[in-house]
Amino acid sequence: MTSDSTAAAPGDPIDSDAIGGLEAELTDFWRRGRIRTRLRARAIDPRLDPSCYPLITVLARHNSLPMSELVSAVGMEKSTVTRQIDAVERLGLAERHPDPRDARARVVTLTPHGRERVDAVLASAVAEWRARLAKWDPEDIRTLTRLLHRLSEAASDDHAPHADA
């Protein structure tokens, strides 16, 4: 492969090396994130499946969520979310209640025990990030946050090219 194969195409301001570097960094970041997720899930409860951690963190940001909103927030199939809630309920971390706005629907809430465990783990996570970023300029952290949000928006399914395009 020659250096021409990595150069930017006319009208394309991003060369292949830049994209390859981004892909490598994101892959490594996601790998480390999966490790952190596994450790944090185990800190909440040693029996908590790490795949349930995103659901738990979404619940932690809200007092309670209707199932439909929870499904949307975690971006998974309803059947998967239902199985995860079943597992989290068995551990005493969350519970379902009738939705006061719709008797047919259910609302999911962290239990007091679940809230206590999740809050402790999230506080520990914040302390870890503070230690990692202690020497960073706060504006750099805000810039990184904005750029990650922008990247997330650009990579969302809504923006993905269609096969028939």
Side-chain angles (χ1 to χ4, degrees):
M1 188 184 310
T2 66
S3 61
D4 291 342
S5 66
T6 61
D12 182 6
I14 306 170
D15 65 48
S16 297
D17 287 341
I19 298 296
L22 175 62
E23 181 71 18
E25 288 299 324
L26 287 174
T27 298
D28 189 50
F29 191 76
W30 288 325
R31 179 187 58 79
R32 291 171 192 235
R34 284 190 304 273
I35 292 167
R36 279 190 300 275
T37 294
R38 186 172 52 249
L39 293 172
R40 289 181 182 145
R42 298 292 188 243
I44 291 170
D45 187 294
R47 299 163 296 167
L48 180 63
D49 187 310
S51 68
C52 296
Y53 186 76
L55 179 136
I56 290 281
T57 60
V58 167
L59 286 174
R61 289 192 303 262
H62 303 85
N63 288 327
S64 62
L65 274 178
M67 277 288 294
S68 59
E69 289 180 34
L70 188 54
V71 166
S72 177
V74 295
M76 291 186 261
E77 296 291 324
K78 183 180 179 186
S79 60
T80 302
V81 174
T82 299
R83 282 192 300 275
Q84 288 184 341
I85 293 169
D86 289 344
V88 171
E89 271 190 312
R90 282 191 298 275
L91 296 174
L93 300 171
E95 54 196 7
R96 285 175 252 206
H97 304 281
D99 187 335
R101 297 171 294 174
D102 181 355
R104 298 166 296 167
R106 307 289 280 171
V107 173
V108 183
T109 308
L110 289 177
T111 62
H113 170 70
R115 172 62 66 185
E116 176 185 313
R117 296 301 315 136
V118 172
D119 286 351
V121 169
L122 292 178
S124 173
V126 167
E128 288 173 19
W129 279 112
R130 277 198 178 116
R132 285 187 187 109
L133 300 174
K135 295 182 180 177
W136 283 46
D137 181 310
E139 188 54 37
D140 287 344
I141 297 168
R142 285 188 281 280
T143 298
L144 176 60
T145 301
R146 279 191 306 274
L147 290 172
L148 287 172
H149 178 77
R150 199 166 133 199
L151 178 61
S152 179
E153 289 293 314
S156 74
D157 289 340
D158 295 342
H159 297 93
H162 297 284
D164 57 1

